Amino acid sequence: MNQAARRIGRTLALVLPVVLVLSGTLAVTRVPWAAPNAESQVLTASSGTASTQAKARAPHEVLRDRLLTELQQKNPGAALTDLQRETESRPSLAQYCGQIARALGRAAVAKYGAKKAQSYSRPVCDTSFASGVVAQGH
């Protein structure tokens, strides 16, 4: 019995590190290399080869990030005007309008405070900007 336990122990000592290395290597499929706001590159491990690929971003995410930057550089009114123009010229973005307007509302509160942020409110995407202001203000 003692010798059988020793044999099992030796087998595990040899096999376990190999299994852990392989499973750990295959489990890590994404490693972000860039800052969260930049386009991220990922390391993908598949069938023994690794390659670096740029992650494609959805058009509404690109628009949201651009408008948030515009809000910081200019004001929420300019960002809301551009949001309205973009959703009118690209109807595929209309479904994300409320989500983007709420994000702009939250960012406006962070920059200007709730009262001043609310003064920029306008009927773009119904009342989504205002709801973002209210949600962040409380």
Side-chain angles (χ1 to χ4, degrees):
M1 183 83 171
N2 195 11
Q3 193 165 14
R6 198 172 304 173
R7 188 175 318 134
I8 291 172
R10 268 191 245 150
T11 303
L12 281 176
L14 293 173
V15 174
L16 191 59
V18 173
V19 171
L20 290 174
V21 168
L22 288 176
S23 65
T25 302
L26 296 176
V28 177
T29 58
R30 294 186 60 188
V31 179
W33 295 107
N37 291 339
E39 286 202 5
S40 63
Q41 294 180 340
V42 294
L43 177 66
T44 305
S46 64
S47 50
T49 62
S51 64
T52 303
Q53 302 174 348
K55 180 182 176 186
R57 296 178 59 212
H60 70 277
E61 293 172 337
V62 173
L63 175 62
R64 181 196 60 223
D65 292 347
R66 183 173 59 82
L67 293 175
L68 287 170
T69 301
E70 183 175 1
L71 182 143
Q72 295 299 322
Q73 293 173 347
K74 295 179 183 177
N75 63 55
L80 286 170
T81 299
D82 283 351
L83 174 60
Q84 187 169 7
R85 279 192 204 123
E86 288 289 331
T87 55
E88 288 171 357
S89 68
R90 295 170 61 191
S92 62
L93 294 173
Q95 66 180 339
Y96 302 103
C97 187
Q99 174 187 346
I100 295 169
R102 275 189 295 280
L104 291 172
R106 290 189 298 268
V109 170
K111 183 172 182 179
Y112 297 104
K115 187 173 182 178
K116 186 167 182 179
Q118 189 63 38
S119 71
Y120 288 100
S121 189
R122 62 177 71 167
V124 176
C125 310
D126 296 324
T127 58
S128 296
F129 178 82
S131 69
V133 169
V134 170
Q136 188 69 20
H138 288 106

